[in-house]
Structures are given as C-alpha cells and as structure tokens.
Amino acid sequence: PMGDVVVEHSPRVGELLTLTAEPVLVGRTSIDVSVRVSAEKGQVRRHVCDAAFTYVTTRGPDGEKRFCPPLEDDDASERTRWARATAKRRRALLKLAAPPPTPSNETFTFETIEVVLPKHQNHMGHTFGGVVMSWMHKAARTCCARHCGCAVDAVRTQGVDGVSFNTGSNVSDHLVFRARATASFDDGGEVKVRAVKRDIATGTEQLINVGYFSFGFFDGRQRFPDVKAPADALARRRMFVARRRLLTCTGGALA
C-alpha cells in the first residue's frame, strides 16, 4: 500500500525537486519506506510532502518465503527515529480506517480508460504503482473540476488517503477509472476513484484499488458545491487529519 500524501506546497514549473527515501520499519516480509519531497528555486527551498510506502517481498523461484534483513540502528539519525515511530503509529491508525465495501449500485459521474503499455511496466512485468496513482489522480482532478465548474488547473490537490493495491495489472490490460464527488468541506471536497482492470473479451472487471483524494482551490473564493458527507467520509476525514498531523506536525488547512 501507499500511505497518505499531504501536499503542503504545489511545485511550479522551473522548480528543482529533490526526493529523499530511506527504509524506516522492517517486518519479516515487509518494509516501510519514508519519502520526503522538497522544491527549490534560487535560494528558496520549500517542503512539498512526506509519504510512506509499504512493500512486501515476493516468493523465491521454488516458492520459498523471502525475508527482509533488519535495519541498523547504530547510525540512525533523529529524523530516521522519528520516521520509524511515525510509521508504527501510522500502521496502527490504518488498521482502524479500513474502507467499507463498495455498494453494488454505486454510481460514478466520470470515467476514463487507460491502456497499459510496455513503458508502464516494472522489472517484474507489472504496471508501476506510481503510474496507476497518476492515472487515478488525473481522473479525480478532472472529476473535481467538472463538479465545481472550473478549469482543471484551478484545482489544488491537498492530499491522498491511504491506497492499497488489491491486485496488479500487466501490459495490454485496459484500466478503467471511475470517479465521483463524495463529500464537501469548508476548504474543499473529497473525490473517490475506483480503479478496475477490464477483460476486453468477456467484459468482466477486477478491482485494483480505491482511493480518496482531497482537493482545494488556488482561488480562495472558489467553493466546492455541497455534497452531503456520509458517515464513512467524516470518519475518513478525522483519521486523515490525525495521520496528517503525524506527517507534518501540524493540523493545517485540513484540520
């Protein structure tokens, strides 16, 4: 799964992005990686976001389990120790925030289809998770812009709720992304995206993942049209704010 992403600064054209990643928490067959992104232009350096990713090992050629080596604690920096504690707390919070099952009669207002090409696959032959996330974000942002009646570039991404990949996809698969506005808040709103892969021959679909994106606006006068937030959206909001404080040490706009 990919943990929450809270965007504190939207990078602009011409800014230099620096990404720093390090492993912070290791289980028997899983590892959590903390990623920090910053943007720099001239003498000004701004923090863009922090994110957490969880990876699991694959089985060996004979079906045997592969285990992660332990982390060395001797030279751990203060930031690494903080990231490690945050990862443990985040795992506990994620267990409390399991999304409810999708109703069979749920309707979506926006749909887009992407075809997986060879350039989208990783060394294991599956689609890069980042590519799928990029397509999900494009569908969510376009859905938000249509719902609000504004240009796509007027929409600012505030954050992404935790996303878990139920299954992978391969080259030539057709991925369908369906989005709809699920809740409105004082500073923006939430858009749900459901990603599935479709079998062209039979028309059957298999769920890849479900993600929730929080959006605001660059123009403070723009408003997100009212959408009554269901109980699960309000609970998700509270949990997201709690995890945001873990990642940023502040409540900020989402509080």
Side-chain angles (χ1 to χ4, degrees):
M2 184 208 71
D4 312 286
V5 177
V6 180
V7 181
E8 299 186 59
H9 165 67
S10 299
R12 303 286 187 174
V13 174
E15 290 184 332
L16 176 66
L17 295 182
T18 302
L19 291 84
T20 305
E22 64 175 331
V24 293
L25 188 63
V26 168
R28 282 170 55 83
T29 59
S30 65
I31 182 170
D32 282 25
V33 178
S34 173
V35 179
R36 169 163 289 191
V37 184
S38 61
E40 185 177 354
K41 188 170 185 179
Q43 300 298 318
V44 179
R45 188 182 186 90
R46 295 183 178 180
H47 178 240
V48 176
C49 67
D50 283 315
F53 296 81
T54 302
Y55 295 92
V56 295
T57 60
T58 57
R59 291 186 177 271
D62 297 324
E64 73 278 10
K65 283 188 176 180
R66 291 172 171 170
F67 299 101
C68 295
L71 293 175
E72 298 291 340
D73 292 331
D74 297 340
D75 299 327
S77 65
E78 182 178 354
R79 182 187 177 278
T80 299
R81 292 195 296 270
W82 170 259
R84 192 167 299 165
T86 299
K88 291 179 180 179
R89 177 60 177 159
R90 175 184 153 269
R91 279 191 177 186
L93 286 170
L94 286 174
K95 290 179 180 178
L96 300 175
T102 301
S104 58
N105 60 346
E106 185 175 22
T107 58
F108 292 86
T109 59
F110 179 81
E111 179 178 309
T112 183
I113 300 176
E114 303 283 353
V115 179
V116 180
L117 302 176
K119 65 180 181 179
H120 300 139
Q121 67 178 344
N122 58 27
H123 65 285
M124 299 183 66
H126 302 305
T127 313
F128 278 111
V131 172
V132 178
M133 283 298 303
S134 174
W135 288 336
M136 291 180 70
H137 176 257
K138 182 171 70 172
R141 195 178 184 197
T142 305
C143 176
C144 177
R146 287 189 176 184
H147 179 75
C148 300
C150 63
V152 174
D153 58 6
V155 176
R156 181 175 66 86
T157 306
Q158 291 181 331
V160 184
D161 203 357
V163 176
S164 296
F165 286 80
N166 297 308
T167 187
S169 56
N170 304 303
V171 174
S172 79
D173 281 345
H174 287 63
L175 306 188
V176 184
F177 301 89
R178 299 186 177 99
R180 70 180 182 92
T182 53
S184 59
F185 303 101
D186 292 340
D187 61 335
E190 178 190 78
V191 174
K192 175 181 180 180
V193 179
R194 190 170 190 267
V196 300
K197 64 178 180 180
R198 176 186 294 168
D199 188 313
I200 299 301
T202 63
T204 57
E205 296 181 347
Q206 185 177 4
L207 178 67
I208 294 179
N209 59 34
V210 176
Y212 296 88
F213 295 76
S214 296
F215 292 101
F217 306 96
F218 290 105
D219 185 351
R221 296 170 296 179
Q222 181 73 45
R223 289 291 178 265
F224 199 93
D226 287 341
V227 177
K228 185 177 180 180
D232 64 300
L234 295 175
R236 196 163 46 246
R237 183 76 166 187
R238 288 194 295 269
M239 296 302 298
F240 184 69
V241 168
R243 296 197 297 271
R244 182 188 195 279
R245 288 182 175 134
L246 280 176
L247 292 172
T248 65
C249 303
T250 179
L254 291 181

